[in-house]
């Protein structure tokens, strides 16, 4: 291991030691799952002054780990895609129909890098359209740095799934307001919308996880939008919302997966 990597690894080791305090048997966290190239990427980002240290893990997902990064006295979310366990069939499917990402994905690593740049560009587009998403800070290879959604002490907010809103219909209306901007201003379809990908930050929704989001004119967007609306309706119904699918479609200006304002 060269020195640069060793230094980055030291930072990642801090995460491991924290995690091990909680669970001595958990050996899958930290540098054991991050390959040398990822450690090098983290090292470069810290060299460019985006992060001082990585401090704790927020989430271990199917394809990515979200860690807490600290720079000065500010927190950031650092989303790291794992090369070994990513679903390449899925990634290819979503990247293919998008002319922003032309065949730069000859191998796994390149495909993941395209995927990360897609998530970053989607976030940028959404942020500019005024949708409440984490502000994208930067990305490099398989690592994405985002605004931290949580409190000043560094406690991350939870998703709606784990922290259901107090006033469900009121919160749902706020979600629909964000989705209206998502579709009609940013002209993107989320593609994986559910209670798992909406955070509850002091009873305000923040939409996350937009790597698979596609531009409305992508051939798969109609199918994705129909699925998103069904999932959203079902998840909020389970939480006690009385709002119907028809009301949602009306509010968003959508019929059968088609965005009416963008029909031509
Ligand atoms: P995936 O579902 O693909 O693993 P997500 O982008 O949904 O990735 O992030 C996983 C989890 O990490 C989220 O459910 C949330 O708890 C946490 N998280 C994601 N982004 C942030 C952020 N910007 N600030 C704080 N926590 C975050
Ligand atoms: Mn998610």
């Amino acid at each position: 291991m060269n020195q640069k990597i060793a230094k980055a690894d030291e930072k990642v080791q801090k995460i491991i030691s924290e995690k091990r305090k909680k669970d001595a048997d958990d050996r899958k966290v930290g540098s054991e799952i991050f390959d040398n190239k990822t450690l090098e990427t983290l090292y470069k980002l810290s060299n460019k002054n985006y992060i001082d240290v990585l401090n704790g893990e927020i989430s271990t997902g199917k394809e990515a780990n979200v860690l807490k990064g600290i720079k000065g006295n500010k927190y950031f979310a650092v989303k790291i895609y794992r090369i070994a366990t990513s679903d390449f069939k899925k990634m290819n499917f979503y990247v293919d129909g998008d002319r922003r990402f032309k065949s730069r994905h000859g191998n796994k690593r390149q495909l993941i890098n395209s995927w990360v740049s897609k998530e970053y560009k989607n976030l940028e587009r959404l942020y500019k359209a005024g949708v409440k998403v984490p502000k994208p800070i930067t990305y490099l290879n398989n690592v994405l740095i985002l605004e931290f959604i949580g409190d000043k002490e560094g406690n991350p907010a939870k998703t709606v799934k784990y922290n259901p809103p107090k006033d469900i219909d009121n919160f749902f209306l706020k979600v629909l307001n964000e989705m209206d901007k998502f579709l009609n201003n940013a002209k993107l379809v989320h593609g994986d919308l559910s209670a798992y990908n909406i955070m509850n930050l002091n009873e305000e929704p923040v939409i996350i996880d937009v790597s698979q989001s596609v531009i409305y004119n992508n051939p798969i967007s109609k199918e994705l939008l129909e699925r998103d609306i069904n999932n959203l309706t079902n998840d909020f119904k389970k939480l006690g919302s009385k709002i119907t699918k028809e009301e949602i479609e009306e509010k968003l200006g959508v019929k059968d997966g088609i965005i009416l304002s963008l029909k031509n």
Side-chain angles (χ1 to χ4, degrees):
M1 208 187 281
N2 73 30
Q3 250 211 308
K4 279 183 179 181
I5 296 171
K7 258 199 151 165
D9 193 43
E10 221 172 85
K11 294 186 180 181
V12 178
Q13 290 298 339
K14 289 191 183 170
I15 310 158
I16 307 168
S17 55
E18 256 202 19
K19 179 90 181 178
R20 280 203 181 132
K21 272 180 232 151
K22 285 186 226 146
D23 181 359
D25 291 331
D26 193 345
R27 304 275 144 149
K28 280 199 170 141
V29 176
S31 66
E32 285 162 51
I33 53 161
F34 298 133
D35 56 314
N36 280 359
K37 190 89 190 4
T38 301
L39 294 173
E40 210 173 291
T41 301
L42 290 167
Y43 178 78
K44 279 185 189 149
L45 287 166
S46 93
N47 247 6
K48 287 183 175 174
N49 283 321
Y50 284 108
I51 33 174
D52 295 332
V53 283
L54 288 169
N55 175 281
E57 188 165 58
I58 303 173
S59 150
T60 310
K62 261 201 339 265
E63 289 153 355
N65 298 56
V66 179
L67 308 178
K68 200 157 76 177
I70 306 181
K71 174 71 211 163
N73 56 4
K74 279 199 79 176
Y75 295 99
F76 293 93
V78 183
K79 187 171 181 179
I80 305 171
Y81 281 86
R82 297 185 305 269
I83 311 292
T85 53
S86 289
D87 182 347
F88 300 98
K89 255 167 88 179
K90 179 184 120 189
M91 288 181 173
N92 255 322
F93 178 71
Y94 287 94
V95 171
D96 268 355
D98 195 321
R99 63 186 159 71
R100 293 176 298 171
F101 305 95
K102 276 191 216 106
S103 60
R104 280 194 291 110
H105 39 92
N107 63 42
K108 282 185 175 188
R109 204 175 284 282
Q110 281 172 352
L111 178 58
I112 292 192
N113 293 353
S114 291
W115 190 248
V116 169
S117 79
K118 183 169 186 269
E119 182 160 0
Y120 184 88
K121 281 166 193 164
N122 283 340
L123 280 171
E124 205 173 37
R125 188 174 166 121
L126 290 160
Y127 193 78
K128 281 185 186 150
V131 184
K132 278 184 196 145
V133 292
K135 183 182 182 185
I137 310 296
T138 192
Y139 70 96
L140 183 63
N141 302 327
N142 57 329
V143 178
L144 189 65
I145 301 184
L146 309 174
E147 175 189 357
F148 178 74
I149 306 300
D151 66 20
K152 288 214 164 53
E153 280 77 51
N155 304 303
K158 290 184 181 137
T159 61
V160 165
K161 179 72 190 174
Y162 299 106
N163 182 18
K166 295 195 179 81
D167 180 343
I168 189 70
D169 278 337
N170 184 39
F171 189 91
F172 199 12
L173 288 176
K174 290 178 186 172
V175 171
L176 293 178
N177 206 23
E178 296 311 311
M179 289 323 296
D180 183 19
K181 289 182 277 181
F182 205 113
L183 292 167
N184 292 299
N185 297 0
K187 299 176 175 53
L188 287 172
V189 171
H190 188 290
D192 192 16
L193 199 59
S194 75
Y196 289 96
N197 283 332
I198 302 170
M199 297 186 82
N200 178 357
L201 179 67
N202 306 319
E203 304 302 314
E204 296 293 329
V206 179
I207 316 289
I208 60 164
D209 208 359
V210 298
S211 57
Q212 72 292 314
S213 302
V214 296
I215 295 179
Y216 73 99
N217 65 7
N218 188 306
I220 62 175
S221 76
K222 180 174 176 286
E223 188 191 320
L224 293 181
L225 183 52
E226 281 193 287
R227 195 177 71 186
D228 275 356
I229 289 180
N230 283 331
N231 289 343
L232 199 63
T233 311
N234 291 337
D235 281 4
F236 276 82
K237 197 181 269 172
K238 278 187 213 145
L239 294 169
S241 169
K242 305 258 174 337
I243 301 172
T244 65
K245 185 177 167 182
E246 288 65 37
E247 286 171 299
I248 294 167
E249 288 187 322
E250 164 93 44
K251 173 88 179 97
L252 299 179
V254 170
K255 190 74 205 143
D256 301 326
I258 291 166
I259 306 169
L260 298 173
S261 70
L262 302 173
K263 214 168 110 181
N264 46 31

